mmCIF file of all heavy atoms in Angstrom:
data_model
loop_
_atom_site.group_PDB
_atom_site.id
_atom_site.type_symbol
_atom_site.label_atom_id
_atom_site.label_comp_id
_atom_site.label_asym_id
_atom_site.label_seq_id
_atom_site.Cartn_x
_atom_site.Cartn_y
_atom_site.Cartn_z
ATOM 1 N N ARG A 18 -2.744 4.051 -7.446
ATOM 2 C CA ARG A 18 -1.400 4.192 -6.865
ATOM 3 C C ARG A 18 -0.616 5.190 -7.686
ATOM 4 O O ARG A 18 -0.929 5.431 -8.834
ATOM 5 C CB ARG A 18 -0.650 2.848 -6.901
ATOM 6 C CG ARG A 18 -1.310 1.754 -6.095
ATOM 7 C CD ARG A 18 -0.845 0.383 -6.587
ATOM 8 N NE ARG A 18 -1.625 -0.675 -5.975
ATOM 9 C CZ ARG A 18 -1.260 -1.305 -4.867
ATOM 10 N NH1 ARG A 18 -0.120 -1.002 -4.270
ATOM 11 N NH2 ARG A 18 -2.019 -2.249 -4.360
ATOM 12 N N ALA A 19 0.427 5.719 -7.085
ATOM 13 C CA ALA A 19 1.320 6.610 -7.827
ATOM 14 C C ALA A 19 2.722 6.381 -7.290
ATOM 15 O O ALA A 19 2.905 5.706 -6.273
ATOM 16 C CB ALA A 19 0.900 8.058 -7.622
ATOM 17 N N GLU A 20 3.695 6.945 -7.950
ATOM 18 C CA GLU A 20 5.091 6.818 -7.514
ATOM 19 C C GLU A 20 5.185 7.314 -6.054
ATOM 20 O O GLU A 20 4.862 8.466 -5.760
ATOM 21 C CB GLU A 20 5.958 7.694 -8.432
ATOM 22 C CG GLU A 20 7.460 7.472 -8.263
ATOM 23 C CD GLU A 20 7.920 6.098 -8.729
ATOM 24 O OE1 GLU A 20 7.493 5.661 -9.824
ATOM 25 O OE2 GLU A 20 8.698 5.470 -7.979
ATOM 26 N N GLY A 21 5.572 6.398 -5.161
ATOM 27 C CA GLY A 21 5.739 6.787 -3.754
ATOM 28 C C GLY A 21 4.427 6.976 -3.002
ATOM 29 O O GLY A 21 4.411 7.494 -1.887
ATOM 30 N N TYR A 22 3.302 6.579 -3.630
ATOM 31 C CA TYR A 22 2.000 6.724 -2.943
ATOM 32 C C TYR A 22 1.214 5.429 -3.024
ATOM 33 O O TYR A 22 0.830 4.969 -4.101
ATOM 34 C CB TYR A 22 1.202 7.862 -3.599
ATOM 35 C CG TYR A 22 -0.242 7.987 -3.117
ATOM 36 C CD1 TYR A 22 -0.537 8.313 -1.790
ATOM 37 C CD2 TYR A 22 -1.322 7.786 -3.990
ATOM 38 C CE1 TYR A 22 -1.859 8.432 -1.352
ATOM 39 C CE2 TYR A 22 -2.640 7.906 -3.562
ATOM 40 C CZ TYR A 22 -2.904 8.228 -2.242
ATOM 41 O OH TYR A 22 -4.206 8.349 -1.806
ATOM 42 N N ASP A 23 1.030 4.807 -1.848
ATOM 43 C CA ASP A 23 0.221 3.596 -1.771
ATOM 44 C C ASP A 23 -0.987 3.937 -0.891
ATOM 45 O O ASP A 23 -0.828 4.203 0.315
ATOM 46 C CB ASP A 23 1.039 2.452 -1.147
ATOM 47 C CG ASP A 23 0.228 1.171 -1.034
ATOM 48 O OD1 ASP A 23 -1.003 1.247 -1.145
ATOM 49 O OD2 ASP A 23 0.828 0.099 -0.814
ATOM 50 N N PRO A 24 -2.196 3.971 -1.470
ATOM 51 C CA PRO A 24 -3.368 4.379 -0.693
ATOM 52 C C PRO A 24 -3.569 3.561 0.591
ATOM 53 O O PRO A 24 -3.999 4.097 1.603
ATOM 54 C CB PRO A 24 -4.539 4.173 -1.645
ATOM 55 C CG PRO A 24 -3.977 3.901 -2.987
ATOM 56 C CD PRO A 24 -2.527 3.654 -2.858
ATOM 57 N N LEU A 25 -3.215 2.261 0.546
ATOM 58 C CA LEU A 25 -3.397 1.431 1.743
ATOM 59 C C LEU A 25 -2.490 1.911 2.878
ATOM 60 O O LEU A 25 -2.932 2.075 4.021
ATOM 61 C CB LEU A 25 -3.129 -0.046 1.412
ATOM 62 C CG LEU A 25 -3.288 -1.009 2.600
ATOM 63 C CD1 LEU A 25 -4.681 -0.925 3.201
ATOM 64 C CD2 LEU A 25 -2.985 -2.442 2.169
ATOM 65 N N GLN A 26 -1.216 2.163 2.536
ATOM 66 C CA GLN A 26 -0.266 2.676 3.543
ATOM 67 C C GLN A 26 -0.773 3.998 4.114
ATOM 68 O O GLN A 26 -0.739 4.230 5.316
ATOM 69 C CB GLN A 26 1.114 2.917 2.896
ATOM 70 C CG GLN A 26 1.814 1.671 2.401
ATOM 71 C CD GLN A 26 2.288 0.775 3.553
ATOM 72 O OE1 GLN A 26 2.412 1.224 4.686
ATOM 73 N NE2 GLN A 26 2.524 -0.484 3.247
ATOM 74 N N LYS A 27 -1.254 4.852 3.204
ATOM 75 C CA LYS A 27 -1.725 6.188 3.606
ATOM 76 C C LYS A 27 -2.933 6.078 4.538
ATOM 77 O O LYS A 27 -3.037 6.787 5.538
ATOM 78 C CB LYS A 27 -2.087 6.991 2.340
ATOM 79 C CG LYS A 27 -2.523 8.430 2.594
ATOM 80 C CD LYS A 27 -1.400 9.302 3.127
ATOM 81 C CE LYS A 27 -1.853 10.710 3.397
ATOM 82 N NZ LYS A 27 -0.919 11.472 4.215
ATOM 83 N N LEU A 28 -3.849 5.166 4.189
ATOM 84 C CA LEU A 28 -5.057 4.976 5.001
ATOM 85 C C LEU A 28 -4.684 4.498 6.408
ATOM 86 O O LEU A 28 -5.210 4.997 7.410
ATOM 87 C CB LEU A 28 -5.980 3.960 4.319
ATOM 88 C CG LEU A 28 -7.433 3.977 4.799
ATOM 89 C CD1 LEU A 28 -8.190 5.144 4.191
ATOM 90 C CD2 LEU A 28 -8.153 2.686 4.443
ATOM 91 N N MET A 29 -3.739 3.544 6.471
ATOM 92 C CA MET A 29 -3.293 3.019 7.772
ATOM 93 C C MET A 29 -2.659 4.132 8.611
ATOM 94 O O MET A 29 -2.866 4.235 9.817
ATOM 95 C CB MET A 29 -2.320 1.857 7.573
ATOM 96 C CG MET A 29 -3.027 0.592 7.096
ATOM 97 S SD MET A 29 -1.902 -0.581 6.325
ATOM 98 C CE MET A 29 -0.960 -1.137 7.734
ATOM 99 N N GLU A 30 -1.917 4.973 7.923
ATOM 100 C CA GLU A 30 -1.255 6.107 8.584
ATOM 101 C C GLU A 30 -2.304 7.096 9.136
ATOM 102 O O GLU A 30 -2.231 7.544 10.268
ATOM 103 C CB GLU A 30 -0.404 6.790 7.507
ATOM 104 C CG GLU A 30 0.623 7.782 8.001
ATOM 105 C CD GLU A 30 1.300 8.430 6.781
ATOM 106 O OE1 GLU A 30 1.885 7.697 5.939
ATOM 107 O OE2 GLU A 30 1.176 9.657 6.652
ATOM 108 N N LEU A 31 -3.309 7.407 8.292
ATOM 109 C CA LEU A 31 -4.349 8.368 8.687
ATOM 110 C C LEU A 31 -5.148 7.889 9.894
ATOM 111 O O LEU A 31 -5.584 8.682 10.718
ATOM 112 C CB LEU A 31 -5.330 8.613 7.528
ATOM 113 C CG LEU A 31 -4.918 9.568 6.419
ATOM 114 C CD1 LEU A 31 -5.984 9.601 5.326
ATOM 115 C CD2 LEU A 31 -4.724 10.980 6.954
ATOM 116 N N PHE A 32 -5.369 6.569 9.948
ATOM 117 C CA PHE A 32 -6.237 6.045 11.014
ATOM 118 C C PHE A 32 -5.473 5.351 12.139
ATOM 119 O O PHE A 32 -6.072 4.656 12.946
ATOM 120 C CB PHE A 32 -7.291 5.105 10.413
ATOM 121 C CG PHE A 32 -8.343 5.844 9.651
ATOM 122 C CD1 PHE A 32 -8.252 5.995 8.274
ATOM 123 C CD2 PHE A 32 -9.422 6.431 10.300
ATOM 124 C CE1 PHE A 32 -9.203 6.703 7.558
ATOM 125 C CE2 PHE A 32 -10.382 7.135 9.596
ATOM 126 C CZ PHE A 32 -10.274 7.273 8.229
ATOM 127 N N GLU A 33 -4.187 5.597 12.203
ATOM 128 C CA GLU A 33 -3.400 4.976 13.270
ATOM 129 C C GLU A 33 -3.868 5.506 14.633
ATOM 130 O O GLU A 33 -3.965 6.710 14.855
ATOM 131 C CB GLU A 33 -1.915 5.313 13.080
ATOM 132 C CG GLU A 33 -1.035 4.419 13.933
ATOM 133 C CD GLU A 33 0.455 4.663 13.669
ATOM 134 O OE1 GLU A 33 0.786 5.457 12.768
ATOM 135 O OE2 GLU A 33 1.252 4.058 14.377
ATOM 136 N N GLY A 34 -4.209 4.572 15.498
ATOM 137 C CA GLY A 34 -4.624 4.959 16.850
ATOM 138 C C GLY A 34 -6.006 5.585 16.924
ATOM 139 O O GLY A 34 -6.431 6.066 17.980
ATOM 140 N N VAL A 35 -6.730 5.584 15.814
ATOM 141 C CA VAL A 35 -8.076 6.183 15.833
ATOM 142 C C VAL A 35 -9.107 5.124 16.205
ATOM 143 O O VAL A 35 -9.105 4.025 15.659
ATOM 144 C CB VAL A 35 -8.435 6.762 14.436
ATOM 145 C CG1 VAL A 35 -9.898 7.209 14.391
ATOM 146 C CG2 VAL A 35 -7.529 7.929 14.100
ATOM 147 N N ASN A 36 -9.948 5.433 17.178
ATOM 148 C CA ASN A 36 -11.089 4.560 17.464
ATOM 149 C C ASN A 36 -12.321 5.442 17.657
ATOM 150 O O ASN A 36 -12.231 6.665 17.643
ATOM 151 C CB ASN A 36 -10.821 3.682 18.698
ATOM 152 C CG ASN A 36 -10.466 4.522 19.911
ATOM 153 O OD1 ASN A 36 -10.941 5.653 20.060
ATOM 154 N ND2 ASN A 36 -9.641 3.981 20.788
ATOM 155 N N MET A 37 -13.463 4.802 17.867
ATOM 156 C CA MET A 37 -14.718 5.563 17.981
ATOM 157 C C MET A 37 -14.647 6.588 19.109
ATOM 158 O O MET A 37 -15.086 7.717 18.979
ATOM 159 C CB MET A 37 -15.901 4.607 18.237
ATOM 160 C CG MET A 37 -16.463 3.959 16.991
ATOM 161 S SD MET A 37 -16.952 5.128 15.705
ATOM 162 C CE MET A 37 -18.541 5.650 16.317
ATOM 163 N N LYS A 38 -14.053 6.169 20.229
ATOM 164 C CA LYS A 38 -14.005 7.042 21.412
ATOM 165 C C LYS A 38 -13.189 8.303 21.106
ATOM 166 O O LYS A 38 -13.632 9.422 21.342
ATOM 167 C CB LYS A 38 -13.404 6.268 22.595
ATOM 168 C CG LYS A 38 -13.516 6.983 23.934
ATOM 169 C CD LYS A 38 -13.206 6.009 25.079
ATOM 170 C CE LYS A 38 -13.329 6.689 26.425
ATOM 171 N NZ LYS A 38 -12.214 7.548 26.753
ATOM 172 N N SER A 39 -11.992 8.105 20.515
ATOM 173 C CA SER A 39 -11.137 9.263 20.244
ATOM 174 C C SER A 39 -11.762 10.165 19.173
ATOM 175 O O SER A 39 -11.648 11.378 19.220
ATOM 176 C CB SER A 39 -9.741 8.813 19.808
ATOM 177 O OG SER A 39 -9.785 8.236 18.523
ATOM 178 N N MET A 40 -12.481 9.538 18.198
ATOM 179 C CA MET A 40 -13.138 10.333 17.160
ATOM 180 C C MET A 40 -14.243 11.193 17.750
ATOM 181 O O MET A 40 -14.384 12.372 17.442
ATOM 182 C CB MET A 40 -13.736 9.424 16.080
ATOM 183 C CG MET A 40 -12.770 9.154 14.933
ATOM 184 S SD MET A 40 -13.527 8.115 13.684
ATOM 185 C CE MET A 40 -14.444 9.299 12.728
ATOM 186 N N LYS A 41 -15.041 10.570 18.653
ATOM 187 C CA LYS A 41 -16.144 11.308 19.283
ATOM 188 C C LYS A 41 -15.619 12.454 20.134
ATOM 189 O O LYS A 41 -16.159 13.557 20.110
ATOM 190 C CB LYS A 41 -16.991 10.355 20.138
ATOM 191 C CG LYS A 41 -18.039 9.640 19.305
ATOM 192 C CD LYS A 41 -19.072 8.936 20.136
ATOM 193 C CE LYS A 41 -20.171 8.374 19.246
ATOM 194 N NZ LYS A 41 -20.669 7.098 19.697
ATOM 195 N N GLU A 42 -14.546 12.181 20.872
ATOM 196 C CA GLU A 42 -13.966 13.228 21.723
ATOM 197 C C GLU A 42 -13.421 14.366 20.869
ATOM 198 O O GLU A 42 -13.592 15.539 21.179
ATOM 199 C CB GLU A 42 -12.866 12.639 22.615
ATOM 200 C CG GLU A 42 -13.443 11.868 23.799
ATOM 201 C CD GLU A 42 -12.402 11.000 24.506
ATOM 202 O OE1 GLU A 42 -11.210 11.053 24.133
ATOM 203 O OE2 GLU A 42 -12.800 10.257 25.432
#
């Protein structure tokens, strides 16, 4: 972690709305 950076929050943000179908497309 770092000041203002939480890897869990970031990961959730990066993968929001991502599923196998959208990734494949």
Side-chain angles (χ1 to χ4, degrees):
R18 298 159 189 267
E20 190 67 45
Y22 172 64
D23 179 344
L25 180 58
Q26 295 290 341
K27 183 67 181 165
L28 198 78
M29 287 160 70
E30 194 184 302
L31 280 176
F32 287 96
E33 195 175 355
V35 172
N36 56 32
M37 277 305 280
K38 190 166 181 284
S39 70
M40 269 181 83
K41 275 193 174 143
E42 283 166 4

